[in-house]
Amino acid sequence: MTGRVDVVVVGAGPTGLALACGLVEGGASVRVLDKAVGPATTSRALGLQPRGAEVLDRLGALGDLPDRSLGIANVAVHLDGRRAATLRVGQRTKLVTRPGLLVSQAEIESALADRLLELGVPVEWGREVVNASQDTTGVGVEVAGQREVVRAGWLVGCDGAHSQVRKLAGIGFPGVPLIERFLLADIHADLPLPRDGVAVWLRRDRMLGAFPLPGADLWRLMAPVEPTPTPTAGTPPGAVLDTLIGLLRDEAGCASTTVRGTVWTSTFRVHRRLAETYRSGRIILAGDAAHIHSPFGGQGMNTGLGDAENLAWKLALVLRDRAGVALLDTYQAERRPIAADVLSSTSAMTGLVLGDNAPARWVRDHLFVPLMDRPTIQRLIWEHASQLKVTYRNGPLGDQRPRPLRWAPTGGTPRVGDRVPDLACQRSDGTRTRLHAELGGQWAFLRPAAAVGGADEETALERLGAEGVTVLEPIGTSAPLSMLVRPDGHLAWRSGLGREDLDGWLGRFVETGRL
């Protein structure tokens, strides 16, 4: 692709690829640049939460990933060598209808890259961004070793914790290290552990985790260890493996010969950092470029996918001149508090699980771990981890009213800004479908059966463009309400709010981007 494009995305990880897919589905022209010579082959992040799976599904990238993943039924927690609690995860609840999955980040990236290629956009490998300059009309992006300056309307940095785009934009990234030295290894081994669960061993301030990976005998071992004088980048793979095998022997009673081979080892520091702003002019950040935190809880990759989906539909509207640039301010307003909450919760969990001090260890051993066996606590932990409770009701596009709605399609109380469940619906021709299957870069206007061709429906089609709105009728409810659902599955507007009609609301939204 040559000439000016709407958006340059830097970074071909899950966030960058998901963002690019969403933008292209929204009608934007996109280039994806990554300094790596090719796709990653190591597993890295593992946990695909239900929210992350929903995002991939809406983008048309989920495919057979669930069939190639492992569903996790429980987390077995051991204290001082004895099994102390079994945290059930993945169970179906009223809110969560998908399981949590263990699948390699490389597999997720491959699925997203394949989907992006279907949409006509290949990833451009070996393209390192070295400079960027912006003005009121766009951004000039310089690539190492090339004379060409890529001209784009917008530049989005999805290039990880050490983001070059963030540095070029001059955006601060304050924070602190949480764990000085964290080891991980993917190994081939015959461990005496069930492959539908995660095993965790805690002993004083020591921790070891064992995660099954897709494949007959593949496992991930993870453990924080005391820092050594050896620099992180120089830790020999053999030393990493020896340390982890030693912990496995001490905690699970496994002989060193149990481990037959090594796929990958790594040593890294765990930080908690949050970008001071997500946008500087025409340069925007998403994913690890905007926030990094402890891996405890498996929230990182999924939070990045949420960033991508939220930003994609907003930027696509701006590019189609159906919203003002100020709409992009709502991206930070909605997503930065989510990241701040993830940073806070994962940091607290890290300190509690690792037992940083004697009081923390007492709370962990006598309160936190025993509570994991209680069904109510298990459900709360699982639903929070699923990220399906994410809401924007308190943001600039949300309801912000103290009272919940009286009616909701699944018996709950969704308000403007809340996620709308995947409702059974039918199209105008009577064929049956699901709400989330009709999003994927599209808005959905849900109308009562008796309101065909009403004024609100016509307003949505006119203001947002008929090509960008799918009209559906919910099945199984007789409530006389119309609803407008955002491309990311959150409720944008509903009739009967008692403030203004859809024309008034979208009028401000489309013309100025300010609410």
Side-chain angles (χ1 to χ4, degrees):
M1 184 184 296
T2 59
R4 182 187 172 104
V5 293
D6 291 328
V7 185
V8 167
V9 176
V10 180
T15 302
L17 293 169
L19 173 64
C21 288
L23 286 169
V24 175
E25 288 185 332
S29 59
V30 180
R31 290 181 67 171
V32 180
L33 312 179
D34 195 297
K35 68 178 181 181
V37 296
T41 57
T42 53
S43 56
R44 292 161 296 146
L46 297 177
L48 185 63
Q49 303 291 3
R51 171 84 182 210
E54 275 194 359
V55 174
L56 296 183
D57 203 5
R58 285 192 285 267
L59 292 173
L62 187 61
D64 65 347
L65 276 177
D67 297 329
R68 295 187 286 117
S69 306
L70 287 178
I72 296 302
N74 62 75
V75 178
V77 182
H78 303 78
L79 283 176
D80 297 329
R82 63 176 180 83
R83 187 157 176 161
T86 301
L87 174 63
R88 292 179 63 239
V89 296
Q91 68 267 33
R92 189 182 183 96
T93 71
K94 188 175 182 180
L95 173 69
V96 187
T97 58
R98 295 176 183 265
L101 300 174
L102 286 183
V103 58
S104 165
Q105 179 177 326
E107 294 285 344
I108 293 171
E109 290 172 357
S110 178
L112 283 164
D114 288 346
R115 174 57 179 155
L116 186 60
L117 193 58
E118 288 178 1
L119 295 170
V121 180
V123 176
E124 300 178 46
W125 300 105
R127 300 289 189 267
E128 181 181 4
V129 172
V130 294
N131 199 12
S133 57
Q134 60 175 311
D135 54 35
T136 58
T137 63
V139 185
V141 182
E142 297 182 26
V143 178
Q146 296 194 7
R147 295 180 180 178
E148 173 194 19
V149 174
V150 181
R151 188 69 182 172
W154 299 86
L155 172 63
V156 185
C158 304
D159 47 343
H162 302 289
S163 172
Q164 175 72 356
V165 173
R166 186 184 63 240
K167 295 172 184 175
L168 291 172
I171 297 174
F173 200 43
V176 296
L178 295 177
I179 303 174
E180 291 290 338
R181 190 162 174 257
F182 204 93
L183 310 182
L184 68 82
D186 290 354
I187 61 171
H188 290 285
D190 292 320
L191 301 185
L193 301 170
R195 291 188 58 79
D196 64 346
V198 174
V200 177
W201 292 270
L202 304 173
R203 188 184 299 273
R204 296 182 297 277
D205 59 351
R206 196 167 73 177
M207 171 259 180
L208 172 67
F211 301 75
L213 300 178
D217 63 348
L218 196 59
W219 294 83
R220 158 76 57 87
L221 300 180
M222 300 176 61
V225 295
E226 290 295 324
T228 68
T230 306
T232 295
T235 304
V240 172
L241 188 61
D242 288 345
T243 300
L244 291 171
I245 289 177
L247 290 170
L248 190 63
R249 179 191 62 240
D250 294 344
E251 299 297 344
C254 296
S256 58
T257 54
T258 301
V259 179
R260 297 195 307 275
T262 307
V263 177
W264 178 56
T265 66
S266 180
T267 305
F268 57 94
R269 298 173 73 190
V270 176
H271 289 258
R272 180 187 67 201
R273 296 188 182 277
L274 182 61
E276 292 176 341
T277 181
Y278 279 19
R279 181 165 76 96
S280 175
R282 290 179 171 267
I283 300 177
I284 307 173
L285 304 178
D288 286 355
H291 46 77
I292 55 173
H293 51 83
S294 168
F296 285 71
Q299 300 294 295
M301 177 171 58
N302 299 273
T303 304
L305 290 171
D307 289 349
E309 190 176 38
N310 186 286
L311 176 59
W313 70 263
K314 294 174 178 177
L315 189 50
L317 273 185
V318 172
L319 288 166
R320 285 162 40 208
D321 293 325
R322 293 191 176 276
V325 171
L327 175 64
L328 297 179
D329 293 338
T330 70
Y331 163 61
Q332 172 170 312
E334 289 187 338
R335 293 302 301 174
R336 195 172 185 274
I338 301 297
D341 178 70
V342 171
L343 264 67
S344 177
S345 62
T346 56
S347 297
M349 183 185 298
T350 301
L352 188 60
V353 170
L354 298 185
D356 291 340
N357 50 58
R361 288 192 290 274
W362 189 94
V363 171
R364 178 194 69 190
D365 297 350
H366 295 88
L367 295 178
F368 182 64
V369 171
L371 283 173
M372 288 183 179
D373 269 336
R374 298 192 175 186
T376 300
I377 300 300
Q378 292 178 350
R379 179 178 58 81
L380 291 174
I381 292 174
W382 169 229
E383 290 187 345
H384 180 77
S386 75
Q387 294 199 3
L388 297 182
K389 284 189 172 181
V390 166
T391 180
Y392 305 128
R393 66 171 62 166
N394 294 320
L397 304 182
D399 194 330
Q400 301 182 357
R401 297 187 303 157
R403 288 187 174 184
L405 305 180
R406 292 183 177 180
W407 172 86
T410 57
T413 56
R415 292 159 54 178
V416 173
D418 287 353
R419 168 187 171 270
V420 179
D422 192 11
L423 306 174
C425 297
Q426 64 181 18
R427 303 185 186 95
S428 56
D429 62 3
T431 58
R432 296 204 168 198
T433 185
R434 307 290 304 182
L435 170 61
H436 290 192
E438 299 296 327
L439 296 175
Q442 295 283 107
W443 294 73
F445 184 85
L446 303 184
R447 68 185 182 195
V452 177
D456 289 332
E457 177 183 333
E458 294 175 359
T459 295
L461 295 173
E462 177 185 354
R463 293 286 193 177
L464 296 169
E467 75 286 353
V469 181
T470 300
V471 179
L472 302 169
E473 294 178 8
I475 297 173
T477 178
S478 58
L481 298 178
S482 297
M483 297 194 298
L484 182 65
V485 182
R486 300 166 16 165
D488 58 3
H490 288 259
L491 184 61
W493 175 91
R494 60 167 286 270
S495 59
L497 289 176
R499 292 182 296 180
E500 60 185 340
D501 61 11
L502 182 57
D503 185 66
W505 188 83
L506 275 179
R508 292 184 291 149
F509 173 73
V510 170
E511 293 167 8
T512 69
R514 298 180 186 276
L515 295 181

